[in-house]
Amino acid sequence: MSSFFREQLPEPPYYAVIFSSLKKRIDSEYQATAEKMIELAKTMPGFLGYESISSELASITISYWTDLESIANWKHHPDHLKAQERGKSEWYESYTIRISRVESNHEFGRLF
Amino acid sequence: MSSFFREQLPEPPYYAVIFSSLKKRIDSEYQATAEKMIELAKTMPGFLGYESISSELASITISYWTDLESIANWKHHPDHLKAQERGKSEWYESYTIRISRVESNHEFGRLF
């Protein structure tokens, strides 16, 4: 399994949630839940886009948001909370989440 | 080709350089240069660590630094400048570099 996704974003400042994870296992329910969470995030106020790459059991997903309040709302969405619980009990060996404020942006080449 | 690497970092605040790229091609010189740049970054003042996943022609690499001045010094290191030029002319289809200030950090599970 491998995937890569990237989006054009507005000019900084905005916020990035850097989620890097190592899974102990993945299954069809993991995949379905991950896709559902992305679709749900897209409906949340303040969501700007995401970048993600997965390789075997590892992945890095960065979601971009307008502000910290939007990130907190996303963190506490009931469906997301349920997915987080399943993630910790069933799928993830470990993960790190870092919340950062993007201050500058530089692009090379045609992204799309 | 796939790789994943992650490091334990000090408590925030610190800075993250989010580098997401799509390559038009890779070759043994790309690999050697990428490895050399990581070894060089490790010798730079202010370097804290990095996380990286590559998959086929895509990759996300996040390097972590103590401050913006260290990031600027790394950007302008002569060997790094040469690698950047080769990257643009030979290897990268496109890339985005975002500089962000990490404000909080949350971990789950045993990272090491």
Side-chain angles (χ1 to χ4, degrees):
Chain A
M1 182 195 70
S2 100
S3 65
F4 182 65
F5 189 81
R6 189 167 54 172
E7 287 196 88
Q8 193 111 38
L9 300 177
E11 285 302 301
Y14 50 81
Y15 286 82
V17 179
I18 304 167
F19 178 64
S20 61
S21 67
L22 200 58
K23 280 144 265 188
K24 48 192 174 192
R25 66 188 186 87
I26 57 171
D27 51 30
S28 59
E29 285 194 61
Y30 169 80
Q31 292 293 355
T33 304
E35 284 164 26
K36 200 173 144 191
M37 286 307 108
I38 285 170
E39 292 310 309
L40 183 60
K42 287 179 183 172
T43 71
M44 297 293 293
F47 179 79
L48 294 173
Y50 75 105
E51 297 182 312
S52 181
I53 186 163
S54 299
S55 180
E56 296 149 16
L57 292 177
S59 65
I60 295 177
T61 297
I62 306 159
S63 59
Y64 297 100
W65 303 82
T66 53
D67 57 89
L68 291 172
E69 189 185 352
S70 297
I71 294 170
N73 287 339
W74 166 235
K75 181 181 177 186
H76 295 109
H77 187 289
D79 292 355
H80 190 201
L81 286 173
K82 278 183 219 163
Q84 290 169 45
E85 284 311 308
R86 288 200 68 184
K88 285 190 273 193
S89 63
E90 295 175 44
W91 299 310
Y92 291 114
E93 177 72 30
S94 63
Y95 61 72
T96 306
I97 298 172
R98 296 187 170 92
I99 297 178
S100 71
R101 184 178 185 273
V102 178
E103 301 186 349
S104 72
N105 176 71
H106 172 71
E107 286 173 2
F108 165 74
R110 284 181 62 90
L111 299 190
F112 301 97
Chain B
M1 182 195 71
S2 100
S3 65
F4 181 64
F5 190 82
R6 189 167 52 172
E7 287 195 87
Q8 193 111 38
L9 300 178
E11 286 301 302
Y14 49 82
Y15 286 81
V17 179
I18 304 167
F19 178 65
S20 60
S21 67
L22 201 58
K23 279 144 267 186
K24 47 192 176 193
R25 66 186 186 87
I26 58 171
D27 51 31
S28 60
E29 285 194 60
Y30 169 81
Q31 292 294 352
T33 304
E35 283 163 27
K36 201 174 145 192
M37 286 306 109
I38 284 169
E39 291 311 309
L40 183 60
K42 287 179 182 172
T43 71
M44 297 294 291
F47 179 79
L48 294 173
Y50 75 104
E51 300 182 310
S52 181
I53 298 185
S54 300
S55 178
E56 297 149 16
L57 292 176
S59 66
I60 294 178
T61 297
I62 306 160
S63 60
Y64 297 100
W65 302 82
T66 53
D67 57 90
L68 291 171
E69 189 185 352
S70 298
I71 294 170
N73 287 340
W74 166 236
K75 182 182 177 185
H76 296 109
H77 186 290
D79 293 354
H80 191 200
L81 285 173
K82 279 183 218 159
Q84 289 168 46
E85 284 312 308
R86 289 200 68 184
K88 285 190 275 194
S89 63
E90 296 175 43
W91 299 311
Y92 292 114
E93 176 72 31
S94 63
Y95 61 72
T96 306
I97 297 172
R98 295 187 171 92
I99 297 179
S100 70
R101 183 177 185 273
V102 178
E103 300 186 348
S104 71
N105 177 71
H106 172 72
E107 286 174 2
F108 166 75
R110 283 180 62 91
L111 300 190
F112 301 96

